[in-house]
Amino acid sequence: MQWSNPRPRLRSTPSASASAAWPWSLAVATLVVATAAAVPGSLALWNDADTVDAGTIATGSINAAIAPGSAVPTTATSVALGDVSAMIPGETRGATFTVRNTGNVDFQLLAHANAMTSPYLGLSITEGACSSTPPVGTSLSSTPVEIGPMPFLPSTNVTFCLGITLSESTPEAMQGTLIGSYSIDLTARTL
Amino acid sequence: MSTHRFELLTRRRATMAAICALLLIAAGTSAPAAYAAWTAALAGAGTATAGTIATTSTLSTIDSRVSNDDYQTTHVVEVRNTPPAGSTYTGTSDATLVVNAAAAHPLASVMSVSVWPVVNAAACTASTAPGADTVSGTWTAGLTSVSASVLPNASAYFCVRGYPTESTPLPASPATAAEQNRSVVAAQLGSASTQSFTPAYVGQVQRGSFTATSVTTPTSTLSTFRIFPYSALTPGSLYAPSVHVATSGLCYNISGGGNLSAPGASLIAYSCSSASVTPRNERFAQLPVPGTDSVQVRADSTDSTYGFLEANTAGTLVQSQVGDASNLRQRWIPQVLSNGTRQLINAATGYCLFGTGGSGSAFTTQPCNNQVGESSTWNTAGL
């Protein structure tokens, strides 16, 4: 640690050369002030220095995979959740899928419904595999909602049950017909 | 320093001051660092298809006979909720029953029907009182029951009771007050033939907006049995009725001769008098009871207080009693058969006045069953 003794200030008079250097001095001073303002704490005149061993800086990777049912996902990023048939109004069917954090950083998992082709279909999601009577969990819309653990740790799997519900108001004429397709988008996002 | 140089310096200072200001602003605004989030995207998709719900309706064996003593029919209809194969829905659906006549018929227009849900088939018997949620109307107009909740692959049961429209309030048990069946008699429309119509039952199951229906009809029609048109004789005129039994020539007779002032004498079948003047205990008049389709039958007693035919409480005897028009057992519904003969229906029981046998045998009452002894010919008495 060293103490820098300030040199006595000298009163100078303007000169042509000094006048020419003044704008650059002002800029440097401004940068110093700006930097000081941006750094928390005060810049003390006391300072110290140590030698730090050389190291490496590596970037993290955010990766996720999805698989149907409770299978351990590997690399797939999309999955067919199946064709739900013979639904009646008010009925909720479940489609189980599993998400795995295949990267090496924690992430937050968000879900939203996407590309719903029928107003009579609704989606909801709960954590855990579907039972014979899927519970109605968090409703999904086009607005992403957080699902699963927070944070979603690397090398962990979480199984979800996607509930597909046929509306009570599904018209009589739609008996025995294709209601439409449903889709869920999941986004793994860094914290 | 020249003026030109001084101006140049001034402009440089101004330029640098502007740069510094911009740098300060930039430093200030960028202090909360913005980071672009890293993301990974996943997706899942599928399709959904609606199923078709179904129902079946099953009709219990119905009492399809509408007779003078039992004009009421009670039966149960089962409506089954059959979801599509593969459905996992465990909630209830709404089941209803629509009842009407398969085709218009006068009898259907004078017969009412009541429908109410019951918990199971056993809860619907002829003596079951209608529930609070009973819906009533005529068979011709038809009606829809209240709905009953039914689980998947289970059944709802509806109790159905048909009865003459004039039966008010709805009888809770097999009706025996035959006087109430006058609308049914009126539906004969002068025809002595059997009247009938076919009821129709439509079971409905509704889940959300999905509906399934099934139609069932009984294997037999709802028919009248031994009910004939109402036909009273000239009020107060005297007749000498002869009963049609195996032995011919037997007439109505108040036992004990002419002692009509002694209540309790039985009506018997007895050899018709050959005298030109019919004895008082063999001549009878029909006296209409106002406001009803029934008459009192009175032997020609010298005292008009006596001689009224009344079935005893058990219906096993018919006796001469003091007149009382309010006593149903003393009121009789006269009906005319297709051959012109007549039968008398006791208003209390709906039973036929019945001559049991040979001369001296007592009259009784029994359900009309097309037997000899149930009908008689009413000839004008000799006076």
Side-chain angles (χ1 to χ4, degrees):
Chain A
M1 182 177 293
Q2 293 180 329
W3 167 253
S4 297
N5 190 19
R7 298 172 65 182
R9 289 189 174 184
L10 299 177
R11 184 181 181 85
S12 61
T13 57
S15 65
S17 60
S19 299
W22 184 86
W24 299 108
S25 300
L26 177 60
V28 170
T30 305
L31 278 173
V32 169
V33 171
T35 305
V39 173
S42 61
L43 183 61
L45 293 177
W46 294 87
N47 59 66
D48 193 5
D50 282 318
T51 301
V52 178
D53 292 339
T56 59
I57 299 174
T59 58
S61 66
I62 180 167
N63 283 305
I66 189 171
S70 299
V72 177
T74 54
T75 59
T77 56
S78 66
V79 64
L81 293 176
D83 299 328
V84 183
S85 63
M87 295 190 77
I88 61 177
E91 182 175 9
T92 298
R93 298 283 188 85
T96 301
F97 64 90
T98 301
V99 174
R100 180 176 177 80
N101 183 344
T102 56
N104 54 17
V105 296
D106 299 351
F107 63 63
Q108 174 192 32
L109 190 60
L110 303 172
H112 71 276
N114 184 27
M116 302 292 287
T117 62
S118 170
Y120 305 113
L121 289 178
L123 297 182
S124 61
I125 196 164
T126 53
E127 196 172 322
C130 298
S131 63
S132 58
T133 54
V136 177
T138 304
S139 294
L140 295 180
S141 66
S142 58
T143 303
V145 294
E146 180 184 307
I147 62 170
M150 177 64 185
F152 201 124
L153 300 175
S155 302
T156 59
N157 311 320
V158 176
T159 298
F160 295 95
C161 177
L162 178 68
I164 304 107
T165 301
L166 187 61
S167 168
E168 293 271 0
S169 61
T170 305
E172 160 75 12
M174 299 197 77
Q175 278 205 75
T177 66
L178 176 67
I179 299 297
S181 59
Y182 63 90
S183 175
I184 178 176
D185 281 356
L186 302 170
T187 303
R189 191 171 71 179
T190 53
L191 302 176
Chain B
M1 187 169 59
S2 67
T3 302
H4 174 73
R5 184 170 178 76
F6 179 77
E7 290 175 351
L8 183 62
L9 285 173
T10 301
R11 281 199 296 272
R12 282 180 180 173
R13 288 172 187 157
T15 302
M16 290 310 296
I19 292 172
C20 291
L22 287 172
L23 283 170
L24 280 172
I25 293 170
T29 56
S30 65
Y35 301 98
W38 291 359
T39 61
L42 304 172
T47 61
T49 304
T52 302
I53 63 175
T55 182
T56 53
S57 299
T58 307
L59 180 66
S60 66
T61 301
I62 72 170
D63 176 10
S64 61
R65 200 170 78 170
V66 178
S67 61
N68 281 305
D69 63 303
D70 186 4
Y71 50 77
Q72 181 171 291
T73 176
T74 301
H75 43 273
V76 65
V77 180
E78 175 186 1
V79 178
R80 189 159 186 82
N81 173 22
T82 307
S87 171
T88 62
Y89 186 71
T90 57
T92 60
S93 298
D94 292 330
T96 53
L97 181 68
V98 175
V99 178
N100 53 33
H105 189 278
L107 185 61
S109 66
V110 299
M111 288 284 285
S112 290
V113 59
S114 292
V115 181
W116 66 97
V118 290
V119 294
N120 53 42
C124 177
T125 67
S127 59
T128 303
D133 46 3
T134 299
V135 178
S136 300
T138 66
W139 291 89
T140 295
L143 60 83
T144 300
S145 74
V146 299
S147 64
S149 295
V150 58
L151 291 167
N153 295 307
S155 296
Y157 297 89
F158 295 93
C159 199
V160 180
R161 177 167 295 160
Y163 56 98
T165 299
E166 291 186 16
S167 298
T168 304
L170 172 66
S173 59
T176 54
E179 191 181 4
Q180 294 181 326
N181 75 357
R182 59 189 182 195
S183 62
V184 176
V185 175
Q188 301 293 124
L189 300 175
S191 170
S193 62
T194 295
Q195 304 293 299
S196 63
F197 71 96
T198 303
Y201 307 87
V202 182
Q204 292 183 337
V205 170
Q206 185 165 9
R207 169 92 289 282
S209 300
F210 286 11
T211 303
T213 60
S214 62
V215 179
T216 184
T217 54
T219 54
S220 57
T221 60
L222 201 58
S223 303
T224 58
F225 177 75
R226 304 301 293 173
I227 297 178
F228 300 102
Y230 174 86
S231 177
L233 294 169
T234 303
S237 295
L238 291 170
Y239 297 86
S242 62
V243 60
H244 295 180
V245 291
T247 305
S248 61
L250 297 182
C251 284
Y252 286 26
N253 184 291
I254 300 296
S255 63
N259 187 14
L260 297 174
S261 297
S266 293
L267 177 68
I268 60 173
Y270 198 77
S271 296
C272 299
S273 170
S274 58
S276 57
V277 175
T278 306
R280 283 182 175 271
N281 66 333
E282 288 188 20
R283 59 192 197 210
F284 296 84
Q286 295 185 0
L287 307 174
V289 178
T292 74
D293 286 335
S294 62
V295 299
Q296 288 179 291
V297 179
R298 185 176 73 85
D300 190 24
S301 170
T302 52
D303 185 338
S304 60
T305 305
Y306 301 104
F308 291 85
L309 298 186
E310 176 182 319
N312 67 0
T313 304
T316 53
L317 288 175
V318 176
Q319 298 165 312
S320 170
Q321 299 289 4
V322 175
D324 178 8
S326 66
N327 185 347
L328 281 177
R329 290 183 288 110
Q330 208 174 96
R331 299 215 303 246
W332 303 85
I333 301 166
Q335 297 178 353
V336 61
L337 283 62
S338 56
N339 60 7
T341 61
R342 299 169 187 276
Q343 64 183 19
L344 289 175
I345 310 300
N346 188 260
T349 61
Y351 286 2
C352 272
L353 178 63
F354 178 60
T356 56
S359 181
S361 61
F363 276 79
T364 185
T365 58
Q366 70 169 29
C368 304
N369 196 27
N370 196 22
Q371 290 184 313
V372 294
E374 292 176 359
S375 61
S376 56
T377 298
W378 287 57
N379 298 310
T380 301
L383 297 174

